[in-house]
Amino acid sequence: MSKRIVALAPLAGFTESAFRRLSRELAANLTWTELISADALLAKGLDLPNSYVSAAERPIRFQLHGYDEKKLAKAAELVLTKIRPDGLDLNAGCPAPKVLKTGGGAALLGDLPRLFRLARTLSEISHGFGVDFSVKFRLGLKEDQLEKIAETLLKAGVDILVLHPRTAKQGFSGKARWERIKDLAILAKGKAQVYGSGDITCLKDLGIFFGETKAQGVLIGRAALTRTWIFAEWKLAQEFELNFYGRLSLLRKLDFYLSEYRSQEERLRILKTFAPKFLKSMPYKRKFLPLILKAKDFEFFWKGLEYWAETCR
């Protein structure tokens, strides 16, 4: 439909390798890792499940979060050397209290001199490895300071500005201010690309988003969990629905991809987090879902889903 980028957004607890791979199979232009702590990487290395990257999910941007410049620099060099992602990203937008209290995530928006130093350092390291550098951020910590933040990031040499147009204080409440993404696109024109996110729920929203914002790309987060095929809809320029069996097949593919690097116990736990999302609008959900989520083994889990599917025929 267009050369504009429609990507899978980073979502903590969801966008690990298996779901990224599934999204790419369904035509996402690129994927993003969930935010990964620089401290955790340096302490535990790259053998963590959320650091696993398969060839099938590329192109991929690896997102780090942290507060300490030296630790972030070391983590970036480790990731770029060992994993060789297609781009590096700094999270300056996560509003989760456990991230804010570390000084990372959206807390960086309250300390622009530090944000500048971190972004400049990571930008230089990324460019040294031949990849571009992005920062995912919000309008501000408690109030809208877009122009100051944008100026800071552009001076630091950031290649892609990724804006979720709410403040950290807002969380996901209220309406995403797409007009501020347009303002950012004007500010950054000729200096950096602009991607946006927020309140994309269907194919129609994507068309409106690009028309209103003039952004080069969009990240889809929460909607990708309940309508993972939205990427294919964009590629085909056609809206369509998946029946129960179609959604069940996506869940089975997800399990197959998880089996490459997750234990059976972990797989079952993860599938239980995805099942309510994939099957959100299916009939008899109140009847069957609680039973399926109580499954102690794969046999009961899949048999319960098959029985639910038969009931929906």
Side-chain angles (χ1 to χ4, degrees), residues 18 253-264 267:
K253 279 189 177 182
L254 186 71
D255 181 38
F256 177 70
Y257 298 150
L258 283 167
S259 69
E260 290 188 0
Y261 63 98
R262 286 283 196 177
S263 69
Q264 192 171 76
R267 284 160 55 198

Side-chain angles (χ1 to χ4, degrees), residues 67-246:
Y67 172 83
D68 185 274
E69 184 178 350
K70 290 182 179 179
K71 289 181 178 179
L72 274 166
K74 288 181 180 178
E77 289 175 349
L78 178 64
V79 166
L80 291 166
T81 300
K82 299 295 184 180
I83 294 179
R84 297 186 178 276
D86 303 277
L88 190 71
D89 182 77
L90 173 66
N91 183 295
C94 181
K98 67 179 181 180
V99 173
L100 292 179
K101 72 180 183 181
T102 69
L108 293 173
L109 302 178
D111 187 351
L112 294 186
R114 178 175 293 276
L115 177 62
F116 172 77
R117 293 194 299 273
L118 298 185
R120 181 181 58 186
T121 296
L122 294 180
S123 176
E124 290 174 352
I125 292 171
S126 298
H127 295 161
F129 280 85
V131 300
D132 56 29
F133 174 65
S134 58
V135 176
K136 190 173 188 298
F137 64 103
R138 286 177 174 246
L139 292 172
L141 186 56
K142 296 180 180 179
E143 58 187 28
D144 187 335
Q145 292 188 304
L146 176 63
E147 283 73 17
K148 288 184 179 179
I149 297 167
E151 181 183 0
T152 298
L153 296 176
L154 289 171
K155 281 185 177 179
V158 177
D159 303 295
I160 305 174
L161 304 176
V162 187
L163 175 64
H164 182 92
R166 291 180 172 95
T167 64
K169 184 178 179 180
Q170 282 181 280
F172 291 99
S173 65
K175 187 177 181 181
R177 297 180 60 196
W178 289 359
E179 74 276 9
R180 296 298 272 152
I181 298 175
K182 181 179 180 180
D183 293 339
L184 180 61
I186 293 170
L187 284 170
K189 189 173 182 179
K191 303 173 186 175
Q193 293 186 60
V194 169
Y195 294 1
S197 67
D199 295 355
I200 299 292
T201 62
C202 62
L203 177 62
K204 183 179 178 181
D205 289 341
L206 281 169
I208 296 172
F209 173 88
F210 282 121
E212 290 187 359
T213 67
K214 311 304 178 186
Q216 286 83 36
V218 65
L219 276 64
I220 303 178
R222 290 170 291 170
L225 297 175
T226 55
R227 197 176 187 88
T228 313
W229 59 96
I230 191 171
F231 303 108
E233 291 180 309
W234 174 253
K235 182 178 180 179
L236 298 172
Q238 180 180 346
E239 193 172 83
F240 60 90
E241 292 296 332
L242 287 187
N243 62 18
F244 197 107
Y245 282 102

